[in-house]
Amino acid sequence: GFDFSATSIELCKRMLATHDVGASLTVEDMTSMSYPTEYFDAVIDVFSSYCLNDEGHAAFLDGVVRVLKPGGRFFTYTPSKGSSDWTGPGNVQPTPGSAVVYPNNRYPFRYTSVQELADDLETRRLMVTGAETLRRTYGRGKSAFEFVVVEAQRH
């Protein structure tokens, strides 16, 4: 596994050690993975790539295809354009092709749809094998946040 944050990697190593679980963990940038071609059986992205701008996200997906073995699986869980922050009054929608930046955040916050993500994956030789949206509310139902969940397999 890898993470951009050395602090996160160290915390994860300490947590795994308390459970006597071993893992190879490194500090790595998801837009320029240094792993060998066709190295992984699976790549899992849970609420991480949403913080990349469009160029970084494209580089990440290209990297996923490169490091996945043929038949390898990709799973992603990311913010959906069905979220009230995207659709509701006072929303922070960007212009097409750009990413949302919330006040006080130092990174973009990307929303997508199942169809947009499926199109991005399928143009990269990743066949979508499952896709759905999940929704939950915050603030006693005042704000709804929706997530896109997609599974794909490398051709």
Side-chain angles (χ1 to χ4, degrees), residues 102-123:
Y102 284 105
N104 301 319
N105 271 11
R106 295 188 183 117
Y107 57 87
F109 196 105
R110 301 181 84 254
Y111 291 89
T112 192
S113 68
V114 168
Q115 191 61 55
E116 287 174 350
L117 187 53
D119 290 347
D120 279 349
L121 297 175
E122 289 176 355
T123 61

Side-chain angles (χ1 to χ4, degrees), residues 51-106:
C51 66
L52 300 171
N53 63 22
D54 290 341
E55 182 180 290
H57 192 254
F60 166 66
L61 292 179
D62 290 342
V64 167
V65 172
R66 184 186 64 76
V67 300
L68 273 178
K69 294 176 182 176
R73 301 282 183 155
F74 175 60
F75 173 88
T76 187
Y77 181 89
T78 195
S80 165
K81 287 183 176 177
S83 300
S84 61
D85 282 355
W86 181 265
T87 62
N91 65 42
V92 288
Q93 286 185 33
T95 56
S98 67
V100 173
V101 179
Y102 284 105
N104 301 319
N105 271 11
R106 295 188 183 117

Side-chain angles (χ1 to χ4, degrees), residues 1-78:
F2 66 89
D3 194 280
F4 187 71
S5 165
T7 303
S8 294
I9 291 295
E10 287 307 312
L11 176 62
C12 189
K13 285 179 179 179
R14 285 197 307 266
M15 290 172 64
L16 290 173
T18 64
H19 298 288
D20 198 28
V21 175
S24 174
L25 303 171
T26 61
V27 176
E28 188 82 27
D29 181 341
M30 67 192 312
T31 63
S32 58
M33 293 179 264
S34 65
Y35 294 94
T37 298
E38 299 181 356
Y39 185 74
F40 290 111
D41 293 311
V43 174
I44 301 168
D45 165 36
V46 177
F47 227 71
S48 293
S49 67
Y50 78 92
C51 66
L52 300 171
N53 63 22
D54 290 341
E55 182 180 290
H57 192 254
F60 166 66
L61 292 179
D62 290 342
V64 167
V65 172
R66 184 186 64 76
V67 300
L68 273 178
K69 294 176 182 176
R73 301 282 183 155
F74 175 60
F75 173 88
T76 187
Y77 181 89
T78 195

